[in-house]
Amino acid sequence: MDKRAMKKIFFSNKMTVVCTCLLLLVILAALLAPLSPYDPDAVNVSEKLQGISGRHILGTDDLGRDTFTRALYGGRISLLVGAAAMCVAVIVGTFIG
């Protein structure tokens, strides 16, 4: 199968394109997490349990930490674990196969 046929098949399925864009968006957001103006571990009790606002996109937790920033940093760890598991599976599968 040539490159042109693969592109045609990929772009003909709208769900594939949407899911690929969402996956790339999550990866990009996780990689750019250090650009967040908030420290994910900084405790600010005066801002605890705030709701969604322009300042805190997902609000704050019971210790005043920005929930969105913590989710971005958690996404980095999740992507790292997923990539490591994939690498182990490929290596083990290659040796067994």
Side-chain angles (χ1 to χ4, degrees):
M1 185 177 286
D2 66 341
K3 208 178 211 185
R4 189 174 299 191
M6 289 188 339
K7 278 186 184 178
K8 185 177 179 183
I9 291 170
F10 178 79
F11 287 110
S12 67
N13 188 345
K14 292 187 189 321
M15 187 60 72
T16 304
V17 175
V18 169
C19 290
T20 302
C21 289
L22 286 174
L23 181 62
L24 290 175
L25 181 68
V26 168
I27 291 170
L28 182 65
L31 291 175
L32 296 177
L35 297 179
S36 175
Y38 302 105
D39 181 9
D41 297 322
V43 175
N44 188 355
V45 182
S46 65
E47 293 187 359
K48 70 178 185 175
L49 297 175
Q50 287 186 358
I52 297 171
S53 67
R55 190 163 178 219
H56 298 287
I57 296 173
L58 294 179
T60 59
D61 64 4
D62 57 341
L63 295 176
R65 300 173 297 193
D66 185 62
T67 307
F68 181 67
T69 301
R70 292 181 61 81
L72 290 177
Y73 276 92
R76 293 178 73 161
I77 295 169
S78 297
L79 288 171
L80 180 64
V81 169
M86 179 196 64
C87 289
V88 168
V90 167
I91 291 169
V92 170
T94 300
F95 283 124
I96 291 175

